Amino acid sequence: MPGRHAGGLFPIPPWSVRMTVPPASTLNPLANPQPARRNRRSAKFLQIVLLLAVTLIAGLPVSGIIGERSDRQAEMQEELARSWSPEQTVRTPVLAVPYLAADGKTRGYLKIAPATLATQAALAPERKKRGLFSATVYTAALEMTGSFAVPSASSLEKLVGRGSSISWQDSVFLLQLSGLAGMTAEDRVVWNGETIPWRGCQELVARAEDCWGAALAARPTMAAAPAASVEMKFQATVTLRGTGAFHQTLDGRQATAAIKAPWPTPSFVGTVLPSDPTVTADGFEARWTVSDYSRPPLRSDAALLDSADAQYLPSVGVELLEAVPTYRMITRASKYASLFVVLSFTVYALFELLSSVRIHIVQYGLLGLSMTLFSLLLVSFAEPFGYVAGYWISAALVLVQATAYTAAVTRRAGPTLVFAAALAGLFAFLHLLIGLENYSLLVGTIALFLVLSAVMAVTQRVDWQGEEP
């Protein structure tokens, strides 16, 4: 039948058959660009990660340099302490009376602690420099007033034994210190209205080996033991030099202490904290009140100077901290140096993912080296100019260098401004973060969370599968 086909009378002409040729991409898998694009992206990502690790490892020697400079600073402070005077620790003054036991062999000292004691210390701090390094030293004017309750002869016999010989005429008013540097001619002791000069311990003590440490002594007028307990009043002044910190031990039933100095950054230390200290930009003033009934006011001791038992006494003191501790701040800043490398690599990688900018792996490496130099620049400029000035000088140098390099790499104003803003923001935030003492961990963690959130939001535009839209 006409019109029949597919086995009919009139077969379909061959020229009427439409041939369907499969695309080249199915005949040749290598012609498909998507797998190749994914392979290139994966290889580039691996190269960036490896280069980031190498860059961070290359920055480790900078941490060693910072540690070496910090150790040099500590050595200089020790040398200055030896030439000026070490940290001062002033013990409570005592009245020491030598005695010889009835057996004629046992010798010792009766030590009477003050019944009342009030001390006032005025520190005059200053900065001493040696080359690029410096330390805080001070001169302390210390005034002490109080009284001794000298027990009766019968009370002393119960302590040292009947028949013992007590040499009241050899009594000494004793003040034990860390160093004797700084003494002036005006320093003196007033004992019951009588002015007595300070002397070296070895000048007034019969056995010189008893004065093995730094101590001042004065010879009060004590002829014999009183028949009944009497009160002896005293007033003493002493000028001392020290380095870094000033400490006092308070041995007595009722004791008060006051320390003041024109120093805005004190740190109060000791076993007793001050009551209502005043700290302003011009200085500080602190007061302590101690009532100690754990130690007897009268005791017998074979040694003249106290040693180990002083650690159990109530202690007060202050450390003169730097307003901006240079090497501590540098060390903290260097620990965050990896953030600069990670941020710069991340920004460059986003440029490649979100735009047509292509950045060679060598250019990543040069940028990483620029970020690594920040810590080295910081310690170099902070030593002569201080931490704050050194930080901003170093940050400005790295920011200008890295921004100019980014402009040359991308040849676009937009990516260059984005990179400069991100890096400048990181420098400003890091300076703020390092200055925070109590909330640095909280603020830093929140900031990292926000940055990660921003990166996650921006990368939503990235075609991670490498497929055409």
Side-chain angles (χ1 to χ4, degrees):
M1 296 295 294
R4 294 181 60 185
H5 55 83
L9 299 177
F10 305 100
I12 299 174
W15 56 81
S16 65
V17 179
R18 299 180 61 185
M19 301 296 293
T20 303
V21 180
S25 59
T26 59
L27 297 177
N28 183 13
L30 296 180
N32 190 358
Q34 277 74 26
R37 186 182 305 163
R38 287 196 295 268
N39 291 338
R40 289 196 302 270
R41 183 175 292 173
S42 300
K44 186 64 172 290
F45 179 78
L46 180 60
Q47 290 176 346
I48 293 175
V49 172
L50 293 177
L51 183 60
L52 176 61
V54 172
T55 305
L56 295 178
I57 293 174
L60 294 179
V62 178
S63 300
I65 294 175
I66 295 175
E68 180 184 352
R69 303 298 289 180
S70 181
D71 293 341
R72 183 68 186 93
Q73 164 80 356
E75 293 176 2
M76 186 281 302
Q77 290 178 342
E78 293 179 359
E79 295 175 2
L80 190 59
R82 287 193 294 266
S83 59
W84 179 264
S85 190
E87 291 185 2
Q88 277 291 353
T89 299
V90 181
R91 306 283 179 85
T92 301
V94 296
L95 180 62
V97 185
Y99 71 90
L100 179 63
D103 58 8
K105 298 179 181 180
T106 305
R107 296 179 179 272
Y109 293 91
L110 290 170
K111 294 182 179 179
I112 305 173
T116 61
L117 175 65
T119 68
Q120 293 184 347
L123 309 184
E126 58 180 308
R127 297 288 294 177
K128 292 287 186 181
K129 289 189 174 183
R130 284 189 178 179
L132 296 175
F133 306 101
S134 62
T136 303
V137 301
Y138 61 85
T139 300
L142 179 63
E143 181 177 353
M144 298 169 287
T145 58
S147 62
F148 289 96
V150 180
S152 61
S154 58
S155 300
L156 297 177
E157 288 182 355
K158 293 179 182 179
L159 184 62
V160 300
R162 187 178 299 274
S164 299
S165 174
I166 301 177
S167 304
W168 286 97
Q169 69 279 4
D170 296 328
S171 302
V172 291
F173 177 81
L174 187 69
L175 181 64
Q176 190 173 347
L177 314 163
S178 298
L180 300 178
M183 293 288 295
T184 65
E186 288 75 19
D187 296 330
R188 67 195 186 284
V189 176
V190 179
W191 181 270
N192 272 353
E194 177 187 4
T195 301
I196 308 171
W198 283 113
R199 300 288 181 86
C201 177
Q202 295 181 351
E203 297 181 47
L204 300 180
V205 176
R207 294 188 302 175
E209 60 271 17
D210 288 348
C211 298
W212 50 265
L216 293 173
R219 176 62 49 80
T221 302
M222 299 284 292
S229 179
V230 296
E231 183 182 34
M232 299 288 185
K233 296 183 178 181
F234 71 90
Q235 180 182 4
T237 57
V238 62
T239 305
L240 304 170
R241 296 196 308 199
T243 301
F246 179 82
H247 308 272
Q248 288 181 262
T249 60
L250 302 177
D251 184 8
R253 295 295 173 90
Q254 298 290 335
T256 62
I259 303 176
K260 63 179 181 179
W263 194 263
T265 53
S267 175
F268 302 111
V269 295
T271 60
V272 182
L273 294 178
S275 55
D276 298 327
T278 302
V279 181
T280 66
D282 298 325
F284 72 90
E285 184 172 358
R287 297 182 179 275
W288 292 262
T289 301
V290 176
S291 298
D292 185 15
Y293 292 89
S294 61
R295 287 166 57 91
L298 175 65
R299 61 187 184 275
S300 174
D301 198 340
L304 176 61
L305 303 184
D306 293 329
S307 55
D309 63 338
Q311 62 181 323
Y312 302 107
L313 292 174
S315 61
V316 301
V318 62
E319 294 181 356
L320 303 178
L321 302 180
E322 294 182 65
V324 181
T326 301
Y327 287 96
R328 189 175 69 181
M329 301 297 278
I330 292 174
T331 301
R332 293 185 63 185
S334 65
K335 293 179 180 179
Y336 293 97
S338 58
L339 291 178
F340 296 100
V341 181
V342 173
L343 176 69
S344 60
F345 277 32
T346 301
V347 173
Y348 268 30
L350 291 176
F351 287 165
E352 289 200 79
L353 291 172
L354 300 176
S355 65
S356 58
V357 175
R358 292 296 173 259
I359 304 175
H360 195 271
I361 193 66
V362 175
Q363 293 171 321
Y364 277 90
L366 292 175
L367 180 67
L369 292 178
S370 177
M371 297 296 106
T372 304
L373 283 177
F374 171 73
S375 297
L376 190 59
L377 289 171
L378 176 58
V379 69
S380 301
F381 283 104
E383 286 183 345
F385 301 116
Y387 168 75
V388 176
Y391 183 92
W392 291 118
I393 293 174
S394 305
L397 290 175
V398 173
L399 180 61
V400 170
Q401 182 188 59
T403 302
Y405 186 71
T406 302
V409 169
T410 62
R411 295 183 176 87
R412 294 183 183 180
T416 301
L417 292 178
V418 170
F419 178 84
L423 187 58
L426 181 60
F427 277 123
F429 175 76
L430 181 59
H431 186 268
L432 174 64
L433 183 66
I434 294 175
L436 297 175
E437 292 290 340
N438 299 323
Y439 299 100
S440 59
L441 178 60
L442 174 63
V443 175
T445 303
I446 293 176
L448 287 177
F449 176 80
L450 294 177
V451 170
L452 179 60
S453 300
V455 172
M456 293 170 67
V458 170
T459 54
Q460 291 299 312
R461 300 173 52 190
V462 178
D463 181 15
W464 296 107
Q465 301 299 325
E467 298 177 355
E468 295 292 342

